[in-house]
Protein backbone atom coordinates (compact mmCIF):
# COMPACT_ATOMS: atom_id res chain seq x y z
CA UNK A 1 0.00 0.00 0.00
CA UNK A 2 1.38 3.41 -0.99
CA UNK A 3 1.03 6.12 1.65
CA UNK A 4 0.12 9.62 0.49
CA UNK A 5 2.51 12.33 1.73
CA UNK A 6 0.87 15.69 2.40
CA UNK A 7 2.34 19.06 1.51
CA UNK A 8 2.78 19.82 5.22
CA UNK A 9 4.67 16.56 5.74
CA UNK A 10 6.97 17.38 2.80
CA UNK A 11 7.57 20.88 4.18
CA UNK A 12 8.38 19.54 7.66
CA UNK A 13 10.59 16.77 6.23
CA UNK A 14 12.55 19.28 4.09
CA UNK A 15 12.89 21.75 6.98
CA UNK A 16 14.09 19.06 9.36
CA UNK A 17 16.59 17.76 6.79
CA UNK A 18 17.95 21.28 6.24
CA UNK A 19 18.28 21.83 10.00
CA UNK A 20 20.07 18.49 10.44
CA UNK A 21 22.42 19.33 7.57
CA UNK A 22 23.19 22.70 9.20
CA UNK A 23 23.81 21.10 12.60
CA UNK A 24 26.05 18.44 11.04
CA UNK A 25 28.06 20.99 9.07
CA UNK A 26 28.60 23.32 12.02
CA UNK A 27 29.34 20.48 14.44
CA UNK A 28 31.95 18.90 12.16
CA UNK A 29 33.53 22.29 11.49
CA UNK A 30 33.88 22.75 15.25
CA UNK A 31 35.13 19.23 15.94
CA UNK A 32 31.94 18.17 17.70
CA UNK A 33 30.03 14.97 17.08
CA UNK A 34 26.69 15.86 15.40
CA UNK A 35 25.14 12.88 17.18
CA UNK A 36 25.50 14.78 20.47
CA UNK A 37 22.99 17.41 19.32
CA UNK A 38 19.30 16.69 19.83
CA UNK A 39 16.77 18.59 17.73
CA UNK A 40 13.71 19.36 19.81
CA UNK A 41 10.50 20.10 17.91
CA UNK A 42 8.12 22.21 19.98
CA UNK A 43 4.57 21.49 18.88
CA UNK A 44 2.66 23.63 21.39
CA UNK A 45 -0.73 24.77 20.09
CA UNK A 46 -0.29 22.70 16.92
CA UNK A 47 -2.70 19.87 16.20
CA UNK A 48 -1.78 16.19 16.24
CA UNK A 49 -1.59 16.13 12.40
CA UNK A 50 1.43 18.46 12.49
CA UNK A 51 3.06 16.29 15.13
CA UNK A 52 2.31 13.18 13.09
CA UNK A 53 4.06 14.77 10.08
CA UNK A 54 7.08 15.72 12.20
CA UNK A 55 7.34 12.19 13.62
CA UNK A 56 7.01 10.72 10.11
CA UNK A 57 9.89 13.00 9.07
CA UNK A 58 12.06 11.48 11.81
CA UNK A 59 11.65 13.87 14.74
CA UNK A 60 11.92 11.93 18.01
CA UNK A 61 12.15 14.67 20.65
CA UNK A 62 8.94 16.63 21.13
CA UNK A 63 8.37 19.67 23.32
CA UNK A 64 5.13 20.94 24.78
CA UNK A 65 4.53 23.86 27.09
CA UNK A 66 1.32 22.80 28.82
CA UNK A 67 0.70 19.57 30.70
CA UNK A 68 -2.98 19.41 29.75
CA UNK A 69 -2.39 20.04 26.04
CA UNK A 70 0.41 17.50 25.91
CA UNK A 71 -1.46 14.71 27.66
CA UNK A 72 -3.65 13.68 24.72
CA UNK A 73 -0.75 13.86 22.27
CA UNK A 74 1.53 11.84 24.51
CA UNK A 75 -1.06 9.15 25.14
CA UNK A 76 -1.94 8.98 21.43
CA UNK A 77 1.64 8.76 20.17
CA UNK A 78 2.84 6.49 22.98
CA UNK A 79 1.38 3.49 21.17
CA UNK A 80 2.85 4.46 17.79
CA UNK A 81 6.53 5.17 18.40
CA UNK A 82 9.03 5.80 21.18
CA UNK A 83 9.33 9.55 21.50
CA UNK A 84 11.15 11.65 24.09
CA UNK A 85 8.71 14.20 25.56
CA UNK A 86 9.97 17.52 26.95
CA UNK A 87 8.02 20.04 29.01
CA UNK A 88 9.41 23.42 27.97
CA UNK A 89 6.97 25.82 29.65
CA UNK A 90 6.41 26.96 33.21
CA UNK A 91 5.21 24.17 35.46
CA UNK A 92 2.98 24.85 38.43
CA UNK A 93 3.95 22.72 41.41
CA UNK A 94 0.39 21.35 41.74
CA UNK A 95 0.87 19.69 38.31
CA UNK A 96 4.28 18.20 39.12
CA UNK A 97 3.07 14.64 39.63
CA UNK A 98 1.21 14.49 36.30
CA UNK A 99 4.18 16.11 34.53
CA UNK A 100 6.53 13.50 36.02
CA UNK A 101 4.23 10.75 34.75
CA UNK A 102 3.96 12.16 31.22
CA UNK A 103 7.29 13.77 30.36
CA UNK A 104 10.83 12.43 30.04
CA UNK A 105 12.54 15.83 30.43
CA UNK A 106 11.37 18.98 32.21
CA UNK A 107 13.14 22.16 31.14
CA UNK A 108 11.76 24.68 33.58
CA UNK A 109 12.63 23.94 37.22
CA UNK A 110 12.49 27.41 38.74
CA UNK A 111 12.02 26.74 42.46
CA UNK A 112 13.08 24.35 45.20
CA UNK A 113 9.42 23.62 45.90
CA UNK A 114 8.87 22.44 42.32
CA UNK A 115 12.10 20.40 42.35
CA UNK A 116 11.02 18.70 45.59
CA UNK A 117 7.57 17.87 44.21
CA UNK A 118 9.03 16.44 41.01
CA UNK A 119 11.55 14.43 42.99
CA UNK A 120 8.81 13.00 45.22
CA UNK A 121 6.56 12.23 42.24
CA UNK A 122 9.43 10.51 40.42
CA UNK A 123 10.15 8.35 43.45
CA UNK A 124 6.48 7.42 43.81
CA UNK A 125 6.16 6.27 40.20
CA UNK A 126 9.66 4.76 40.00
CA UNK A 127 10.80 6.94 37.14
CA UNK A 128 14.11 8.70 36.61
CA UNK A 129 13.27 12.17 35.31
CA UNK A 130 15.72 14.47 33.53
CA UNK A 131 15.42 18.13 34.44
CA UNK A 132 16.98 21.46 33.50
CA UNK A 133 17.25 24.13 36.16
CA UNK A 134 16.31 27.73 35.52
CA UNK A 135 19.00 29.95 37.01
CA UNK A 136 18.57 33.66 37.75
CA UNK A 137 22.04 34.92 36.85
CA UNK A 138 21.23 38.50 37.79
CA UNK A 139 20.41 37.35 41.32
CA UNK A 140 23.58 35.25 41.53
CA UNK A 141 25.63 38.21 40.32
CA UNK A 142 24.10 40.50 42.98
CA UNK A 143 24.86 37.95 45.66
CA UNK A 144 28.48 37.56 44.54
CA UNK A 145 28.98 41.34 44.44
CA UNK A 146 27.65 41.63 48.01
CA UNK A 147 29.96 38.86 49.21
CA UNK A 148 32.97 40.44 47.47
CA UNK A 149 32.11 43.92 48.88
CA UNK A 150 32.15 42.42 52.36
CA UNK A 151 35.57 40.87 51.72
CA UNK A 152 34.33 37.30 51.50
CA UNK A 153 36.21 34.66 49.56
CA UNK A 154 34.43 32.37 47.15
CA UNK A 155 36.54 29.34 46.47
CA UNK A 156 35.60 27.29 43.44
CA UNK A 157 32.26 29.00 43.02
CA UNK A 158 33.36 31.37 40.26
CA UNK A 159 34.04 28.50 37.84
CA UNK A 160 30.53 27.09 38.36
CA UNK A 161 28.93 30.49 37.92
CA UNK A 162 30.79 31.04 34.66
CA UNK A 163 29.75 27.59 33.45
CA UNK A 164 26.11 28.16 34.35
CA UNK A 165 26.20 31.63 32.83
CA UNK A 166 27.67 30.29 29.60
CA UNK A 167 25.04 27.56 29.37
CA UNK A 168 22.16 29.97 29.91
CA UNK A 169 23.58 32.57 27.50
CA UNK A 170 23.95 29.87 24.85
CA UNK A 171 20.26 29.03 25.28
CA UNK A 172 19.38 32.68 24.71
CA UNK A 173 21.69 33.00 21.69
CA UNK A 174 20.07 30.02 20.03
CA UNK A 175 17.28 32.13 18.56
CA UNK A 176 19.74 34.10 16.42
CA UNK A 177 22.95 32.11 16.26
CA UNK A 178 22.85 28.39 15.48
CA UNK A 179 26.67 28.17 15.44
CA UNK A 180 27.08 28.80 19.16
CA UNK A 181 25.31 25.77 20.69
CA UNK A 182 26.72 23.44 18.07
CA UNK A 183 30.24 24.51 18.99
CA UNK A 184 30.20 23.98 22.73
CA UNK A 185 26.83 24.66 24.23
CA UNK A 186 23.94 22.48 25.26
CA UNK A 187 23.12 19.34 23.34
CA UNK A 188 19.50 20.26 22.60
CA UNK A 189 18.27 22.64 19.91
Amino acid sequence: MIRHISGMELFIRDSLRQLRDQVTSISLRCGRNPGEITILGVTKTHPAEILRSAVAAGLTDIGENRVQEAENKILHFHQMQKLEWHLVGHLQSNKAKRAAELFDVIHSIDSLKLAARLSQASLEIGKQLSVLLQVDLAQIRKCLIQILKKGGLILGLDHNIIHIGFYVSVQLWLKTNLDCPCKSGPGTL
Side-chain angles (χ1 to χ4, degrees):
M1 182 174 154
I2 298 175
R3 187 174 76 85
H4 173 72
I5 299 176
S6 70
M8 179 56 70
E9 190 172 330
L10 286 173
F11 173 76
I12 291 172
R13 183 176 290 170
D14 288 345
S15 298
L16 189 56
R17 182 187 47 75
Q18 288 173 9
L19 180 58
R20 282 190 176 123
D21 289 349
Q22 255 187 304
V23 167
T24 298
S25 174
I26 293 166
S27 298
L28 292 175
R29 197 171 60 233
C30 299
R32 188 163 181 190
N33 178 356
E36 295 174 346
I37 306 292
T38 300
I39 296 173
L40 175 63
V42 180
T43 61
K44 62 183 184 178
T45 72
H46 293 289
E49 296 79 42
I50 300 290
L51 178 54
R52 190 173 293 108
S53 294
V55 170
L59 192 65
T60 58
D61 286 75
I62 310 297
E64 287 287 339
N65 72 329
R66 297 180 198 271
V67 174
Q68 307 91 311
E69 185 178 332
E71 188 165 5
N72 289 334
K73 291 178 185 176
I74 292 171
L75 295 175
H76 175 75
F77 284 93
H78 177 73
Q79 301 299 326
M80 298 173 66
Q81 183 174 347
K82 174 61 180 143
L83 301 173
E84 184 97 354
W85 290 92
H86 300 245
L87 178 65
V88 295
H90 175 73
L91 176 61
Q92 297 170 342
S93 59
N94 64 336
K95 296 179 183 169
K97 183 171 184 179
R98 190 62 183 144
E101 292 168 346
L102 292 170
F103 292 94
D104 302 298
V105 183
I106 298 182
H107 289 238
S108 51
I109 308 303
D110 60 359
S111 71
L112 289 175
K113 178 182 175 183
L114 178 57
R117 289 215 175 157
L118 284 169
S119 177
Q120 182 62 38
S122 294
L123 286 172
E124 287 173 9
I125 62 175
K127 179 179 180 181
Q128 186 172 0
L129 186 64
S130 295
V131 300
L132 298 175
L133 303 176
Q134 183 174 327
V135 178
D136 183 348
L137 294 178
Q139 201 60 27
I140 290 172
R141 184 176 179 274
K142 284 180 192 176
C143 180
L144 290 175
I145 289 170
Q146 289 300 322
I147 291 170
L148 292 173
K149 281 182 179 178
K150 293 178 182 178
L153 293 175
I154 306 169
L155 299 176
L157 186 57
D158 57 337
H159 173 73
N160 292 331
I161 298 302
I162 290 168
H163 177 72
I164 290 169
F166 176 73
Y167 180 81
V168 172
S169 68
V170 166
Q171 292 285 1
L172 296 174
W173 280 24
L174 181 57
K175 292 182 179 178
T176 57
N177 187 353
L178 184 60
D179 283 14
C180 189
C182 290
K183 287 179 183 173
S184 58
T188 303
L189 296 178

